[in-house]
């Protein structure tokens, strides 16, 4: 008796993205189609300008496709209005960016508490404190971003992303602003937290070593997915 596979947590369905200006129409993404299972790790790789960051933004519902859709835990993101899409994103997704995107007027603790408070959690201080301790920043709770190192700021960003226990974590070049050793530490921490919390990780990177740590590789070239011969799960 076969065991049914788990439903996809992320499903990208025949996705197109084009932009038009005075010079004409530019096709950024062309018929992208793949799905990711719960707890899966995937690296989106490709040359600069290939469309990988645009793809991540559409998966997050931060950008809209020209055609096609994205389903997050079965919900069509683009059947929702902006407010409902933002609510679903807050409930299901976490984000880590190259530039950290911390609130400069909030302490490390307050930055991590923020998504919990927006979600109405009554235990936001306790949960944020525990997560900052998990990423090694228990002595930096009251520090503001401007006095934290780049690695410490990215640890705060990781804590903020994981504290809501998202179904999906979306990361865009999370080590791009860090030196090699700090980047290695951050990536080890990200994968550790990913395993502990059972999150699906979708990671944009140009670093082949980081991509090699993921279970899946989604290669984007000229706006299309390039399918490895041994991997029939993707179509372009």
């Amino acid at each position: 008796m076969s065991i049914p596979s788990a439903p996809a947590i992320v499903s990208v369905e025949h996705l197109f993205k084009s932009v038009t200006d005075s010079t004409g129409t530019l096709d950024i993404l062309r018929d992208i189609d793949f799905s990711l299972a719960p707890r899966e790790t995937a690296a989106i790789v490709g040359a600069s300008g290939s469309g990988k960051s645009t793809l991540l933004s559409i998966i997050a519902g931060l950008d809209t496709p020209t055609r096609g859709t994205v389903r997050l835990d079965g919900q069509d993101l683009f059947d929702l209005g902006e407010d409902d899409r933002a609510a679903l994103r807050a409930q299901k997704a976490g984000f880590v960016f190259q530039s950290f995107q911390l609130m400069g007027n909030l302490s490390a603790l307050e930055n991590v508490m923020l998504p919990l408070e927006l979600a109405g959690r009554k235990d936001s201080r306790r949960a944020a404190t525990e997560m900052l301790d998990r990423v090694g920043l228990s002595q930096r709770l009251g520090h503001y971003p401007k006095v934290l190192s780049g690695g410490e700021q990215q640890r705060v960003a990781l804590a903020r992303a994981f504290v809501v226990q998202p179904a999906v974590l979306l990361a865009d070049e999370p080590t791009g602003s860090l030196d090699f050793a700090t980047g290695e530490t951050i990536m080890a921490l990200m994968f550790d937290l990913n395993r502990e919390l059972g999150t699906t990780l979708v990671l944009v990177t140009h670093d082949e070593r980081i991509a090699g740590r993921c279970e899946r590789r989604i290669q984007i070239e000229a706006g299309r997915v390039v399918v490895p011969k041994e991997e029939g799960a993707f179509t372009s």
Side-chain angles (χ1 to χ4, degrees), residues 2-236:
S2 62
I3 299 174
S5 59
I9 189 68
V10 174
S11 183
V12 179
E13 302 174 4
H14 300 293
L15 202 69
F16 291 78
K17 177 67 176 182
S18 302
V19 294
T20 301
D21 60 18
S22 59
T23 64
T25 298
L26 174 64
D27 295 323
I28 300 173
L29 298 173
R30 295 183 288 173
D31 202 16
I32 305 294
D33 195 78
F34 64 87
S35 61
L36 298 173
R39 308 179 75 93
E40 195 167 11
T41 58
I44 301 175
V45 298
S48 178
S50 60
K52 57 187 186 297
S53 289
T54 299
L55 175 57
L56 193 75
S57 293
I58 293 175
I59 293 172
L62 298 171
D63 195 0
T64 57
T66 305
R67 279 192 285 145
T69 196
V70 173
R71 297 184 191 278
L72 180 57
D73 200 15
Q75 173 65 60
D76 184 341
L77 285 178
F78 304 108
D79 267 354
L80 302 174
E82 287 188 17
D83 289 346
D84 288 338
R85 190 159 63 238
L88 181 65
R89 186 164 55 236
Q91 180 185 8
K92 298 287 186 179
F95 302 91
V96 178
F97 303 95
Q98 177 177 341
S99 57
F100 317 133
Q101 298 290 329
L102 300 178
M103 303 290 289
N105 62 328
L106 301 181
S107 68
L109 179 60
E110 290 166 339
N111 265 283
V112 180
M113 288 173 60
L114 184 60
L116 297 171
E117 292 181 331
L118 291 174
R121 287 272 295 270
K122 303 300 184 184
D123 62 340
S124 59
R125 180 172 293 272
R126 178 192 60 78
T129 300
E130 289 177 355
M131 185 56 73
L132 282 166
D133 180 59
R134 174 63 185 82
V135 302
L137 291 178
S138 59
Q139 303 304 310
R140 296 286 191 270
L141 302 183
H143 289 63
Y144 289 84
K146 65 181 180 181
V147 299
L148 298 175
S149 69
E152 288 173 332
Q153 289 186 64
Q154 196 61 299
R155 286 171 182 264
V156 175
L158 281 179
R160 182 183 60 187
F162 277 110
V163 75
V164 296
Q165 299 190 6
V168 180
L169 181 76
L170 304 165
D172 192 357
E173 300 283 8
T175 63
S177 298
L178 306 174
D179 62 75
F180 175 80
T182 303
E184 287 287 292
T185 301
I186 290 297
M187 289 312 304
L189 181 58
M190 178 179 289
F191 279 100
D192 285 347
L193 288 169
N194 186 72
R195 283 190 297 271
E196 287 176 21
L197 298 176
T199 301
T200 297
L201 176 63
V202 187
L203 175 70
V204 164
T205 184
H206 66 277
D207 190 321
E208 288 294 331
R209 294 173 302 105
I210 294 174
R213 298 181 66 169
C214 294
E215 298 163 329
R216 296 275 292 274
R217 177 188 179 95
I218 303 171
Q219 179 84 34
I220 305 292
E221 292 184 10
R224 292 185 180 274
V225 172
V226 178
V227 187
K229 290 182 179 179
E230 69 276 11
E231 191 165 352
F234 299 127
T235 60
S236 64

